Amino acid sequence: MDSRPAADRVGDEGLASIQFVVAAGLAMLLVVGMIQVVTYQYVRGAVMTALERGVRVGSVIGTGAAECRAAIADSLAEVLGGVVGESVVVDCADDSEWVQAWARGTVPAWLPGWEGFSLHIETAARREPVP
């Protein structure tokens, strides 16, 4: 214990709290960034699964792009919503041999100044042959 009066002491009181605030702030940015990447991967997987379901439905005999769109919308309504669900645009097209589906959009960033994650996915399925 220092026996000098408090006014005569020179030290680093308070310096540890500044270091803690800076370290905690950087740690929080890292955590938010990692959660943002996990969220992007979840959205990408959900959209890919919905597109694959849509082209499978649209490739059955007697169905087409309209059924593909309905299946995708049904799948996405169950797993995506809010700003992310509104930012992803999906569509289907079909011809005599293939059913194609694609999604485009941006998963918004959570922190100001960060770029959103771009999303562009395409998939296709061959139509069932007519017996």
Side-chain angles (χ1 to χ4, degrees), residues 31-111:
V31 168
V32 169
M34 289 185 344
I35 293 173
Q36 177 80 54
V37 170
V38 169
T39 302
Y40 171 75
Q41 291 297 327
Y42 170 79
V43 170
R44 184 172 171 74
V47 170
M48 179 57 107
T49 301
L51 292 177
E52 288 174 351
R53 178 178 178 216
V55 295
R56 280 194 309 270
V57 168
S59 66
V60 175
I61 296 173
T63 62
E67 290 81 6
C68 174
R69 284 186 206 98
I72 292 171
D74 182 47
S75 292
L76 291 180
E78 294 176 10
V79 294
L80 288 183
V83 177
V84 175
E86 294 169 1
S87 69
V88 177
V89 177
V90 297
D91 200 7
C92 294
D94 64 334
D95 58 25
S96 61
E97 196 172 335
W98 292 92
V99 176
Q100 299 172 332
W102 57 89
R104 291 178 181 84
T106 302
V107 179
W110 295 349
L111 295 175

Side-chain angles (χ1 to χ4, degrees), residues 14-40:
L15 185 61
S17 59
I18 292 172
Q19 292 169 344
F20 175 75
V21 168
V22 170
L26 290 175
M28 289 305 294
L29 283 175
L30 180 64
V31 168
V32 169
M34 289 185 344
I35 293 173
Q36 177 80 54
V37 170
V38 169
T39 302
Y40 171 75

